[in-house]
Each structure stands twice: as C-alpha cells, then as structure tokens.
Amino acid sequence: MRPYALTGGRTRPTGETVDLLALVCAVRGSSLDRSQLEPEQLIVLGRCRVPTPAADLASDLDLPLGVVRILLSDLRERGLVTIHRPAPVGLTDPKILKDVADGLRRI
Amino acid sequence: MAYDGYEPDLPTAGIPFTIKILIAGGFGAGKTTLVSSVSEIRPLRTEELLSERGEAVDSLSGVEQKSTTTVAMDFGRITIRDDLVVYLFGTPGQQRFWFMWDELAYGALGAVVMADTRRLADCFPSVDYFERNDMPFVVAVNCFDGIRRYPLESVRRALDLTTDSPVVLCDARRRESSRDVLVTLAEHALLRNSRSREVMPAG
C-alpha cells in the first residue's frame, strides 16, 4: 500500500511541522469515535499514553516520518493528542549536558 | 507568544528528556557503523517531497513536478535513564537532502562528523554546515584496517577548522570507541555552554 493512502493523499501536515523528537501525548478522557480513525492512529493513541517522540512512533509503525506527521497533526486537530516541542539543549541547563556526558561514559 | 500548535513546556515530572545528536560525514565514512555499535539501532524512513525547500539545492533542473523520495536514516537510541534518552540521527549524505539538515539540526546537542582520511574532502560540507550554524561538533577520524593513520594535527590542519572542535581517532566498529566519541562531544558541548554563559546574560 502506498503510505499516503493513509492520509487521504495529503502530503503536508496541517499546522507547525512536528519535530523529530517532539513528544506526543494522548489526551486523557477525550471523546473518541474510533470509526473515524485509521488503525495506525489508534496504535499511536495507545503508545502515547506514555509521552513518545515522533521518530519512535514512525519507527514502531514502520511508516515514513512524513506520513506519521500527517497522522499526528490530524490527531492534534481533533484534540486527541498534544505535541510538545523538545527544548533545544544547546543553551539549556548545563546539568542536563553533564548528565548526558556522565551517562554516556557509563554505557 | 502566538499559538503555533505546540503545547508549552511539559509541566509534569517523569517526562523523558530527549537529546538529539547528529552523525554526519561522507558516504562510507562509518556513520551507520557508529550508530550500530553504540546504540539500539532502529529502522526509520522519511518520505519527503522534493519541493520548495528542496528545489534550491536540488539540481533536477527541468523537473517541474514535485516528487516524493524515500530516505532511509540511521536512527539509534541510547537510554541513559528512564527520563533521559539520547537519539542518534545519521544525516542523509547526498546533497539533494540538504533541505533536511536544518530540521535535523534543530535543538540538537551537537554532531559527530565522521571522517575517512582517504576521502577527507567528503566531510568538508558537514564541517562547513556545523561551523556556519555554530553547533558543537567533533570530528571522528575512523580508522579502517590497514589504513595509514595521519597525525591528528595534520587532519585538523587539512580541515582548516575555525573552531576549537575536537578531532579524535575512533574505530566505529568498537562500542567503547564510538562511546568515547559521544562523550567527547557531550563534554565539548558542556564546555561551550559554560563559556557562552560567561559572555552572554542568561535569557
């Protein structure tokens, strides 16, 4: 199947581009008409009970990122997920950078 | 701030902190090998339109139609703690995918530029990109079997680095060696971070 069949042929998501590492969170208690969603979107909602980066979702679903972005932006428009842009680390808390350096040393 | 479709900072604890590191360099310089040796590597495809952003750098002149292209990316994950995960993204090597770099680079901790001394020039575009964008990077000279090793200082000279970016030797097949490259990058990013704090008021 052509992956863009899942998106009704659309090749661009609505709204801001979803960052590769944007954390996707399912919205609890939202009213959900399952019949209006693609099976892949239902899988996304299941996975995103725990906040999950968009790139992980694309890898898990074995779908191209471009397709996953469109599925996610649809879910966002329906109020079923929130999407959180990760904070740039370059100028962030040095403690995080130190934790990364120390953590990598231990792997 | 205008609503841009993103929620503000996550308020709750227990949300994972995700760190992005790019792995760049020429074709065959060892990007995939490094990601495989040091992380849990996973399949990731991106199917993109070669459209507005692509046109400027794409030399498919005369091709008016927009077309999609599938790019397989090296993608790896290193879980440091439950709430701290490092993601490695191999940058697509071909010039036609330059348009993806800005997105890949957004918010990244920094980059590893893999270099093969037999084809050192292959990594020049990556070095240029990260210097131009003022991103921390480390040049990792991948030592293939039987390849004559040049002194690091001569590699550094040949690269004509304008920054104090570290240049290190590595064997991308070895986990410890690849790990050391990432540690060097993280320490370099930390050093640059603390320096920028000295000269720039926070905010």
Side-chain angles (χ1 to χ4, degrees), chain B residues 135-156:
Chain B
M135 246 178 88
F137 68 95
V138 170
V139 178
V141 179
N142 198 7
C143 299
F144 298 88
D145 277 341
I147 302 305
R148 184 180 145 207
R149 296 181 183 190
Y150 294 86
L152 284 180
E153 206 36 56
S154 65
V155 174
R156 168 177 282 283

Side-chain angles (χ1 to χ4, degrees), chain A residues 17 56 59-60 62 69 105, chain B residues 6 42 45 87 103 187:
Chain A
T17 306
D56 271 336
S59 182
D60 291 347
D62 194 25
R69 286 189 162 124
R105 226 175 266 121
Chain B
Y6 281 94
R42 314 181 64 214
R45 289 178 293 143
Y87 287 86
E103 184 197 328
E187 286 172 343

Side-chain angles (χ1 to χ4, degrees), chain B residues 13 87 102 121 172 198:
Chain B
Y87 287 86
D102 288 343
E198 282 164 21

Side-chain angles (χ1 to χ4, degrees), chain A residues 16-36:
Chain A
E16 179 94 348
T17 306
V18 177
D19 186 83
L20 287 166
L21 290 187
L23 288 170
V24 185
C25 308
V27 173
R28 283 167 206 272
S30 51
S31 58
L32 173 62
D33 180 354
R34 300 178 80 88
S35 65
Q36 301 217 340

